Amino acid sequence: MGNAWGPAAPRAPRRGENLGNPGSFDELHRQCKEVFPQQMEGVKLIVNKALSSHFQVTHTVHMSTLGPSNYHFNATFVGDRQLGPTEAFPTLVGDMDNSGSLNAQILHLLAERIRTKAVFQTHQAKFVTWQFDGEYRGDDCTATLTLGNPDLLGGSERHPPPGVGWGDGLPPAAGGGRSHPDTGRQIHGFQLGGDAQCRLWWCPCELLPQSQRAGLLDSNWSVGAVLEKKLPPLPVTLALGAFLNHWKNRFHCGFSVIVG
C-alpha cells in the first residue's frame, strides 16, 4: 500500500521581516493598567488648563472620608522634539501637594536611540527617592538600566517616612521589591502576586446615553463599577464610582468632576 498522505510539503522559508522595537518597559504595563477602572473615594475636583502648546497645569482637590483631604498642583512642560503621538522631548513633570511633598520626572533624548529619565520624590523637606534610567532602543529590542536610590552621601537616611515606600517612582517589577498594596508578597526583594482581575462592559442605557461604563471583578471578592459622562457643551466630565470588598466588608464610593 502506498503512502496515503503523500510526500511532505517543503516548509516555506521564514520571512525576513523585522519585528520592530517593542517600546519602553513602562508602556508594556501601562496598557494592562488602563484596562481596569480607577478606584475613587470621596469627592475630587480636577481642573486642567493649557497655558500654551508646551505648558499645562492641573489643580486637584480631593476631599476624603478615609484619610486627610489634600490639594495637588501639577505642572507639565513638553518640548518641541516629538517622535510619536505620546513621545516628546524634553518632558518635565512636577506634582506638589499641600504638605510640600514633591514628585518630579525629567525625560530627555540624548541620541536617536538613547533615552534618559530621572525621578525624584520628597516627603516635605526630605529626599526619599531618586532614580535614574537609561534606555537603549534597538531595531527589535529595548535595553534599560536603572539606578535607584543611590547612597551618594554615604551617611544619608535610608528609611522612608510612613506612607512613602521605596521605589514609588520606579517602573513595575523594578521597584526594589515594592509589592501590590493588596495582594503582593515580598520575599527577599522579589514581588509575588496572587491576584486575578477582569473587566466587564455593558451596553449604554437610556438614562445616560453616550456614557462610558466599566466594571471590575477580582479574586479578592471585590466588585466595582465606574461611570463617566461628558456634559457638552461644557468641557466637563463627571465620573461616579462604587467599590465593595466582600472579604473585608469594606465599601467606598465617590465622584469626581474634571474640567478641561
Side-chain angles (χ1 to χ4, degrees):
M1 174 181 271
N3 189 356
W5 299 101
R11 177 178 296 181
R14 178 177 295 180
R15 297 181 181 179
E17 297 179 357
N18 190 0
L19 298 177
N21 186 273
S24 64
F25 183 79
D26 296 340
E27 291 294 333
L28 299 177
H29 296 267
R30 185 177 304 172
Q31 295 178 359
C32 299
K33 290 183 177 181
E34 291 178 352
V35 172
F36 303 103
Q38 182 180 3
Q39 296 192 19
M40 58 182 62
E41 179 272 329
V43 180
K44 182 180 292 185
L45 173 64
I46 303 175
V47 180
N48 300 316
K49 178 63 176 178
L51 302 180
S52 66
S53 59
H54 301 282
F55 195 70
Q56 176 179 334
V57 297
T58 302
H59 303 271
T60 303
V61 179
H62 184 203
M63 293 177 288
S64 174
T65 58
L66 300 179
S69 301
N70 54 68
Y71 164 79
H72 283 260
F73 174 77
N74 181 282
T76 303
F77 172 80
V78 179
D80 295 325
R81 189 169 184 180
Q82 187 166 358
L83 302 182
T86 59
E87 283 188 321
F89 298 94
T91 299
L92 290 82
V93 181
D95 184 275
M96 178 175 289
D97 61 11
N98 54 300
S99 66
S101 299
L102 172 67
N103 289 281
Q105 291 189 19
I106 303 174
L107 289 85
H108 188 57
L109 186 68
L110 294 182
E112 183 179 358
R113 295 177 178 267
I114 300 178
R115 294 165 169 80
T116 59
K117 181 174 69 172
V119 178
F120 304 94
Q121 183 181 11
T122 67
H123 180 72
Q124 296 179 354
K126 296 182 179 180
F127 270 94
V128 294
T129 300
W130 50 89
Q131 170 193 321
F132 304 95
D133 292 350
E135 181 181 275
Y136 173 79
R137 294 197 179 187
D139 295 333
D140 56 357
C141 65
T142 298
T144 303
L145 176 64
T146 299
L147 177 63
N149 300 321
D151 192 1
L152 301 179
L153 302 180
S156 59
E157 179 68 27
R158 301 298 296 171
H159 300 284
V164 178
W166 294 116
D168 281 353
L170 300 179
R178 183 189 179 198
S179 62
H180 191 279
D182 294 329
T183 63
R185 287 86 167 168
Q186 289 189 342
I187 303 177
H188 301 293
F190 292 95
Q191 175 178 327
L192 301 177
D195 188 16
Q197 295 179 334
C198 65
R199 190 181 189 187
L200 308 175
W201 287 91
W202 54 90
C203 300
C205 62
E206 297 181 357
L207 180 62
L208 290 175
Q210 297 181 356
S211 59
Q212 296 183 359
R213 302 165 180 82
L216 175 67
L217 174 64
D218 63 20
S219 58
N220 294 321
W221 298 94
S222 297
V223 294
V226 172
L227 182 146
E228 293 185 1
K229 170 63 177 177
K230 294 185 178 181
L231 306 176
L234 301 176
V236 177
T237 301
L238 176 65
L240 306 174
F243 297 85
L244 173 63
N245 189 314
H246 293 83
W247 186 262
K248 298 181 180 180
N249 195 20
R250 181 184 303 172
F251 172 79
H252 62 270
C253 61
F255 73 91
S256 63
V257 179
I258 304 174
V259 181

